[in-house]
Amino acid sequence: MLLRVFGASVGSDVHVFPTVRITLPWNLDLGAQCAVGDRAILYALGPIVIGPRTTVSQGAHICAGTHDWRDPTMPLLKPPIEIGADAWVCADAFIGPDVTIGDGAIVGARAVVTKSVAPGLIVAGNPAREIGKRNP
């Protein structure tokens, strides 16, 4: 209820642990039955969409903010992040700005994702690389 009061879009049966850190909740869209684990960071300077039945595990960092290093004034950028339905962002993973995680994809523990991940792929490592595919 508190997230809704501050402008977040929250589906039914969503579970957000009390230790989750959320910046600018009005930029957050949580799909039905998704879960966000202990100590996760949702840095929603830009829009963050987490799809239905998706899990963002403990300590994951979803970062929708960066700076344009090409410009000498380094202005703040707020590109969106979208995590599809039935996906899993494992413990301590980092999802960078302007990234889409496809439906059913899995981002392994402590992975660093700076490029979009296709639906159904399993990625791991730093930088994240494909290590497998989910069975349909």
Side-chain angles (χ1 to χ4, degrees):
M1 180 180 81
L2 193 56
L3 286 172
R4 287 186 184 104
V5 167
F6 283 97
S9 174
V10 182
S12 62
D13 298 320
V14 168
H15 186 80
V16 178
F17 277 78
T19 56
V20 173
R21 291 177 41 200
I22 299 170
T23 304
L24 305 181
W26 48 88
N27 284 335
L28 188 59
D29 185 341
L30 301 172
Q33 300 175 343
C34 76
V36 183
D38 277 325
R39 300 175 332 279
I41 298 170
L42 304 178
Y43 193 59
L45 296 184
I48 294 176
V49 176
I50 298 175
R53 298 169 309 281
T54 287
T55 298
V56 175
S57 291
Q58 65 274 14
H61 187 155
I62 314 300
C63 183
T66 188
H67 294 272
D68 184 356
W69 56 269
R70 294 171 210 87
D71 183 327
T73 64
M74 291 191 41
L76 180 64
L77 302 176
K78 303 172 187 179
I81 294 173
E82 184 171 349
I83 303 172
D86 304 302
W88 179 19
V89 177
C90 297
D92 295 315
F94 176 86
I95 309 297
D98 205 22
V99 166
T100 297
I101 306 296
D103 293 345
I106 297 174
V107 174
R110 299 225 165 155
V112 175
V113 180
T114 59
K115 296 180 182 175
S116 292
V117 176
L121 286 186
I122 303 169
V123 299
N126 179 4
R129 293 188 178 117
E130 180 181 342
I131 62 168
K133 294 182 182 173
R134 289 184 75 179
N135 294 328

